[in-house]
Amino acid sequence: MTSRPTPATSTSSDAPASAALLERATRVIPGGVNSPVRAFRAVGGTPRFVAEAKGPWLTDADGRRYVDLLCSWGPMILGHAHPDVLEAVRTAAARGFSFGTPSENEVLLAEEIVRRVEPLEQVRLVSSGTEATMSAVRLARGVTGRAVIVKFAGCYHGHVDALLAAAGSGVATLALPDSAGVPAEMTADTIVLPYNDVATLEATFAARGSEIAAVITEAAAGNMGVVPPAPGFNEALRRVTRIHGALLISDEVMTGFRCSPSGWYGLEGPYAGGAPDLFTFGKVMGGGFPAAAFGGTAKVMAHLAPTGPVYQAGTLSGNPVATAAGLATLKGCTDDLYPRLEATARTIADAASAALSAEGVAHTVQWAGSMFSVFFRDQPVTNYDEARDQDTTAYGRFFHSMLESGVHLPPSAFEAWFVSGAHDDEAVSQVVDALPAAARAAASGA
Ligand SMILES: *Cc1c(COP(=O)(O)O)cnc(C)c1O
């Protein structure tokens, strides 16, 4: 074996089995992946094909083990293959996979969600966060008889045509302005405003308030990295929408049951001016399976088919296995889980910050519950323009050093880091031990 210089990014020789799978995948799947950010385009190198996951650990096709700080982009809040969830899935699967009829698990999961999130009276179950936001937007337009939707730059609400404008991480990572294939008319009724800017919101409503069906916002932004709403921002959204007869849609697909037992609303609500009209959920509530939801008061939800004129449907909606996984996961989201997640996240974030400071690397850590991001800039981030103004190449070097040391971070500087209830001392120590070398790598090209 001849020694070779440490590569700036890991190469296929570090992960031969993943590299071989990627080559095969690339022939039959565009870019070799089924969701673009998995391709490592933002950080370079070979994405790891994961063969197995247990607790806080991922094992790749080459048999290398990584501490998982991706947690499937949020859902795996209890860790991978949690015994209670596994048991629930086995039991449900043994009874059949999909019925195309109503079934009890749907009722149980809907009851659990409605019980946790105080303003909710009803939810409709769907299969992805994208479907949830798409349906919530349609419902808001149906209820108000108006067309215009206001969203915020850097907030991602899934790949809904009308919402793929300044849509954060995945799109930012690829440096696409928006997306090809979305005709201008699909976003003609979408107004994109800067996040955390109440004055611009008020001016927009003053000019066009009577046309606006809804404002959709991430309850706390997590898709441009973690950018929490400024104090009073969400309340201002509620106040302004109410004055003008528009609905407020709080997208809790990422934050729901992640930031607290009842999501971001549980941390920040209730609002003086009333609750959001509609909430969307996904990720944690599916426990790693395709289950998502949107909901609100019974009065608003009554506009949906079959009771109302707004059509919405799904062959696999409320799937009995997915709802069993979601229910078992929410059962595990007990009050004592959240302080543990926050303590674990705090230990990792503090160690990352100390290591980066020791190497003089500019950075800022931002939080929403136990979700956090390390931005590679020294000023706080309050909106998308600021999020984009960071040293993403330093993040790439940092990411690859962590990967070599057995820690799988999100492969983009515009993402939240996630921990689970399964991240134990061994996993946390492996992260902490990996950080000094990664901070040196981040500093090295500066
Ligand atoms: C992940 C996400 C979505 C999209 O959910 P999918 O299940 O990927 O379709 C929507 N909104 C937010 C806030 C998200 O984080």
Side-chain angles (χ1 to χ4, degrees):
M1 281 272 162
T2 54
S3 68
R4 58 188 171 88
T6 309
T9 63
S10 57
T11 62
S12 56
S13 61
D14 299 322
S18 285
L21 280 169
L22 181 65
E23 198 186 301
R24 279 172 57 195
T26 304
R27 282 189 216 126
V28 288
I29 300 171
V33 295
N34 286 309
S35 199
V37 75
R38 296 180 195 167
F40 275 24
R41 291 285 159 89
V43 291
T46 306
R48 301 307 192 256
F49 280 65
V50 169
E52 200 176 323
K54 180 90 188 122
W57 301 99
L58 300 175
T59 305
D60 73 9
D62 291 285
R64 288 191 55 184
R65 220 162 69 120
Y66 305 86
V67 179
D68 183 14
L69 293 182
L70 191 55
C71 291
S72 187
W73 306 85
M76 308 317 301
I77 195 167
L78 304 181
H80 293 284
H82 187 281
D84 296 347
V85 183
L86 189 56
E87 180 58 31
V89 167
R90 283 208 172 105
T91 303
R95 291 180 181 154
F97 307 154
S98 183
F99 308 138
T101 70
S103 63
E104 186 182 17
N105 282 351
E106 300 169 73
V107 186
L108 299 176
L109 182 56
E111 284 174 348
E112 179 69 19
I113 293 169
V114 166
R115 186 182 68 71
R116 281 171 179 261
V117 185
E118 190 274 327
L120 290 179
E121 292 172 349
Q122 296 193 338
V123 291
R124 171 65 55 85
L125 301 181
V126 293
S127 300
S128 72
T130 295
E131 257 186 280
T133 59
M134 179 185 79
S135 304
V137 164
R138 183 181 305 149
L139 179 57
R141 285 171 162 165
V143 168
T144 57
R146 301 174 180 176
V148 174
I149 300 294
V150 172
K151 78 173 288 288
F152 297 102
C155 285
Y156 177 67
H157 304 290
H159 59 102
V160 178
D161 280 345
L163 302 177
L164 266 186
S169 58
V171 193
T173 297
L174 292 172
L176 298 176
D178 294 296
S179 169
V182 179
E185 24 322 348
M186 304 300 288
T187 51
D189 288 320
T190 306
I191 299 176
V192 182
L193 298 181
Y195 192 60
N196 277 328
D197 180 346
V198 176
T200 305
L201 177 86
E202 285 176 331
T204 302
F205 268 90
R208 299 189 61 184
S210 64
E211 301 166 60
I212 297 172
V215 171
I216 185 167
T217 186
E218 285 190 59
N223 283 290
M224 49 178 145
V226 174
V227 181
F233 180 67
N234 284 342
E235 295 226 56
L237 300 183
R238 175 67 293 181
R239 179 173 50 76
V240 173
T241 48
R242 187 141 283 174
I243 290 169
H244 292 272
L247 302 194
L248 176 61
I249 305 170
S250 182
D251 183 352
E252 293 235 30
V253 171
M254 184 180 284
T255 53
F257 319 111
R258 165 60 69 176
C259 291
S260 86
S262 46
W264 182 259
Y265 187 80
L267 287 183
E268 199 184 49
Y271 304 142
D277 300 287
L278 288 168
F279 290 80
T280 55
F281 304 99
K283 298 196 167 96
V284 167
M285 66 153 282
F289 284 76
F294 64 103
T297 60
K299 186 160 169 263
V300 170
M301 296 300 280
H303 287 80
L304 277 181
T307 48
V310 178
Y311 189 69
Q312 189 279 331
T315 302
L316 297 180
S317 291
N319 174 271
V321 184
T323 47
L327 187 64
T329 298
L330 289 185
K331 289 263 166 67
C333 289
T334 52
D335 288 349
D336 63 324
L337 173 67
Y338 295 87
R340 281 201 290 129
L341 294 176
E342 281 166 38
T344 302
R346 190 64 64 177
T347 302
I348 290 171
D350 286 352
S353 194
L356 290 167
S357 294
E359 298 297 332
V361 179
H363 67 280
T364 307
V365 180
Q366 295 194 178
W367 293 88
S370 69
M371 278 165 46
F372 68 100
S373 293
V374 181
F375 290 96
F376 280 66
R377 60 181 257 138
D378 54 12
Q379 296 297 311
V381 174
T382 65
N383 61 36
Y384 191 37
D385 283 344
E386 291 169 1
R388 280 189 293 186
D389 180 21
Q390 60 169 320
D391 187 350
T392 54
T393 57
Y395 182 79
R397 293 189 297 272
F398 181 81
F399 170 87
H400 277 286
S401 175
M402 293 297 282
L403 196 66
E404 277 174 42
S405 302
V407 179
H408 202 307
L409 295 176
S412 161
F414 298 100
E415 302 291 351
W417 301 19
F418 295 101
V419 298
S420 79
H423 282 71
D424 54 10
D425 289 347
E426 186 194 357
V428 172
S429 297
Q430 184 155 320
V431 177
V432 169
D433 293 348
L435 285 163
R440 274 196 300 282
S444 68

